Amino acid sequence: SSGINAEYGGMSLRSLYTNCGNYPETPCLLVVKDSGGYVFGAYLSHGIVESPKYYGSGETFLFRHSPDLKCFFWQGSNHYFMMGRSDYFTIGAGDGNFALYLDE
């Protein structure tokens, strides 16, 4: 497994893909703390990799930890679980919107 702490080493999508790229089939826990102190993230059915198309499975879900714990599970309406492009990584999508969108 791999642990990355952006607070100490900085963070870019390139370093995220590089550090996680050796584990494409391994489930992953992504945890983010934003500048406002909110903690949120996702359990990913597969690793974080660059991909020109969506990948993953319905085991993927998003969560927020603060201000209170709440999970957001797949509703079954599509299969847009994860996609990693060179300029963004997204989790969950539908109707032109993303549940979680990370960019530079």
Side-chain angles (χ1 to χ4, degrees), residues 60-64 70-75:
T60 298
F61 67 89
L62 291 109
F63 65 87
R64 72 170 184 224
K70 184 171 182 178
C71 294
F72 304 91
F73 298 100
W74 179 46
Q75 298 298 305

Side-chain angles (χ1 to χ4, degrees), residues 21-75:
N22 292 329
Y23 309 97
E25 299 298 321
T26 304
C28 178
L29 182 64
L30 175 68
V31 181
V32 178
K33 183 175 183 181
D34 71 11
S35 59
Y38 293 98
V39 178
F40 55 93
Y43 171 82
L44 307 174
S45 62
H46 293 72
I48 298 171
V49 297
E50 282 189 81
S51 174
K53 60 183 182 173
Y54 283 96
Y55 68 99
S57 76
E59 295 174 345
T60 298
F61 67 89
L62 291 109
F63 65 87
R64 72 170 184 224
H65 188 268
S66 57
D68 58 341
L69 181 61
K70 184 171 182 178
C71 294
F72 304 91
F73 298 100
W74 179 46
Q75 298 298 305

